[in-house]
Amino acid sequence: MKIESVDAKIFHHKTNQSRDSDGHAHPGPAIDATSALLVISCDDGTTGNLIARPGDVEDSLLDQFVRPLLLGQDPMRPEAIWNSLYKWQRGSAGKLTDRVLCAVDLTLWDLIGKACGQPVWKLLGGYRDKIVAYGSTMCGDDLKGGLATPEDYAQFAEWMVKERGYRAIKLHGWMPPIPGAPDVRKDHLACAAVREAVGPDVPLMLDPNHWYSRADSLWLCQRLEELNFHWIEEMMEEASLSSYQWLTSRTPRINILGPESMTGKHWTRAEWAANGACDMLRTGVWDVGGISPALKTAKLAECFHMSCEIHGTGAGNMAVAAAIPNTTYYERGLLHPFINYEEPRAHQNRIDDEMDSEGFVHFRNEPGLGQDLNLDYIENNLD
Ligand code: LLH
Ligand code: MG
């Protein structure tokens, strides 16, 4: 079995989400957008598919780096292929990003699952067949009836728990360029309002502004300790390992989780674990370059008796969360009162992460990553 082609099909669709000037997603009017379907095909007709951002699978990147390394190779050797891409990163003048590695790795794993007739989560270890989801809100905004006030967060949290069945919630606070952000005091008011709304027993987490000072971070952590929050993540620039050591040593009653967006894949995460910079490790397939390095992060966390909480949504992150024993939740979102998260996108027959009324996301038994794609829609809406 040999890889015969690697192609990205760019297709059009509508979206009702837009990104602000700092890259945070918010609800908006329906606008035109494009996405990509990355397809790796083998000489026996087996294919792997993945929905990706067009910029991560541009034809020039596939031509320069991916096709030379993949064509003619055995797809059942993802570790060898991942390492060959990784080795080329340093000399690629920044073009071969971790997101490119991730797109290739996920597509390969989808292909491997299909070739074996097995879901990827089982091939990776198959620790669990369902997981509790936490409802992860969008960042705060200034939309009337949206996530503009602490009361808005409280009302939405009440709906999540009482109407939709979520068993845990994570707030993303107000971040620039939203007027008045960042403000630890306002973050605290939203967290207090949510705690009041859902009662003492629902696990709560916070992802606030990404660049608070040490002093503001400590103040916020101490308030969240009083509110019995389970974890806080990425409140400071993650390149500053010693700031996280400083904070972790001063906050015994809340878990510091990280690093999320810091570069360096599983190697950075090993340094955080070894140097006491967090209580729980963080990894996500799009942050570290795919399933292969995300699994390594989880396994190194296990060796330190630490949990490894998976960042982000989608089939690749689900496969990792299902495979490992040392994780607690699946991050489901981003959620907002104006967005119907349950509705499949135009290119999907079903969303990846359907959740039951008890707050569990179940892992599918179909071969591959478990994405149920509407390939006809994609073919009929090509760029
Ligand atoms: O800053 C944001 O828009 C969110 O924090 C987003 O990056 C989200 O993926 C996240 O951090 N989840 O934990
Ligand atoms: Mg986060």
Side-chain angles (χ1 to χ4, degrees):
M1 191 179 183
K2 296 220 176 317
I3 297 173
E4 208 171 56
S5 64
V6 182
D7 288 301
K9 299 179 180 191
I10 311 297
F11 62 94
H12 292 269
H13 57 90
K14 295 273 183 204
T15 180
N16 58 357
Q17 295 188 27
S18 53
R19 297 208 172 251
D20 64 29
S21 58
D22 276 14
H24 307 299
H26 301 285
I31 50 169
D32 292 322
T34 52
S35 292
L37 177 73
L38 183 61
V39 185
I40 301 181
S41 305
C42 287
D43 51 2
D44 69 348
T46 315
T47 60
N49 291 326
L50 184 82
I51 302 296
R53 292 189 189 170
D56 297 330
V57 292
E58 273 175 19
D59 205 54
S60 59
L61 291 171
L62 300 183
D63 236 10
Q64 192 176 353
F65 304 108
V66 179
R67 291 188 184 110
L69 289 176
L70 266 72
L71 296 183
Q73 297 301 314
D74 179 351
M76 306 302 280
R77 300 180 58 194
E79 185 71 24
I81 291 173
W82 188 89
N83 266 279
S84 64
L85 284 164
Y86 160 61
K87 294 276 163 58
W88 204 344
Q89 276 191 294
R90 188 178 173 284
S92 76
K95 288 192 212 159
L96 193 47
T97 62
D98 286 350
R99 293 187 64 90
V100 180
L101 267 61
C102 177
V104 172
D105 192 63
L106 262 55
T107 313
L108 262 185
W109 275 107
D110 187 53
L111 188 156
I112 292 166
K114 286 170 178 158
C116 298
Q118 291 290 330
V120 173
W121 63 272
K122 284 191 183 167
L123 294 177
L124 300 177
Y127 179 76
R128 69 185 92 217
D129 60 9
K130 64 177 182 180
I131 191 165
V132 174
Y134 66 82
S136 185
T137 75
M138 278 185 173
C139 296
D141 50 47
D142 52 2
L143 303 170
K144 194 168 164 35
L147 293 174
T149 64
E151 295 70 34
D152 287 340
Y153 275 94
Q155 208 174 348
F156 190 44
E158 202 172 341
W159 174 85
M160 279 196 253
V161 172
K162 294 195 180 139
E163 306 288 326
R164 187 57 189 92
Y166 282 101
R167 291 168 178 242
I169 292 175
K170 187 174 85 186
L171 293 75
H172 284 97
W174 292 277
M175 305 191 198
I178 299 301
D183 180 344
V184 276
R185 277 155 194 83
K186 205 170 160 197
D187 287 350
H188 173 231
L189 289 177
C191 292
V194 168
R195 172 54 82 212
E196 174 76 22
V198 300
D201 298 327
V202 176
L204 295 177
M205 290 77 85
L206 176 68
D207 184 346
N209 174 59
H210 304 314
W211 299 286
Y212 279 134
S213 67
R214 286 187 184 195
D216 276 348
S217 297
L218 181 59
W219 184 88
L220 186 56
C221 285
Q222 288 170 339
R223 301 292 79 70
L224 296 192
E225 288 182 328
E226 292 159 6
L227 294 171
N228 195 24
F229 266 52
H230 183 50
W231 82 54
I232 179 167
E233 65 190 58
E234 213 179 350
M235 73 305 285
M236 298 182 287
E237 162 63 70
E238 291 182 333
S240 180
L241 179 90
S242 58
S243 293
Y244 277 87
Q245 285 176 309
W246 181 91
L247 187 65
T248 300
S249 68
R250 284 164 175 76
T251 51
R253 291 189 293 118
I254 185 166
N255 293 298
I256 306 297
L257 175 73
E260 178 172 297
S261 57
M262 183 59 195
T263 55
K265 310 179 181 68
H266 43 291
W267 290 283
T268 308
R269 283 144 184 90
E271 293 302 324
W272 276 51
N275 288 291
C278 57
D279 300 296
M280 300 166 142
L281 270 183
R282 188 75 156 151
T283 198
V285 293
W286 291 101
D287 304 313
V288 298
I291 284 176
S292 304
L295 263 191
K296 289 179 191 180
T297 315
K299 288 175 194 290
L300 81 86
E302 193 180 356
C303 300
F304 282 93
H305 297 288
M306 292 169 85
S307 80
C308 181
E309 299 299 331
I310 310 300
H311 168 225
T313 185
N317 285 314
M318 290 170 69
V320 176
I324 59 172
N326 55 325
T327 200
T328 323
Y329 301 114
Y330 167 71
E331 177 166 16
R332 192 169 193 263
L334 300 173
L335 309 178
H336 190 280
F338 297 169
I339 303 264
N340 179 6
Y341 186 79
E342 314 300 328
E343 192 179 330
R345 310 265 169 92
H347 61 266
Q348 294 175 317
N349 297 317
R350 292 179 293 168
I351 61 172
D352 293 347
D353 52 357
E354 290 168 320
M355 187 181 85
D356 68 21
S357 56
E358 311 280 286
F360 286 97
V361 168
H362 298 255
F363 302 110
R364 293 183 178 145
N365 276 314
E366 287 97 323
L369 278 176
Q371 312 158 99
D372 189 354
L373 300 177
N374 182 344
L375 296 175
D376 287 342
Y377 176 86
I378 293 173
E379 288 300 333
N380 291 331
N381 290 276
L382 292 178
D383 201 12

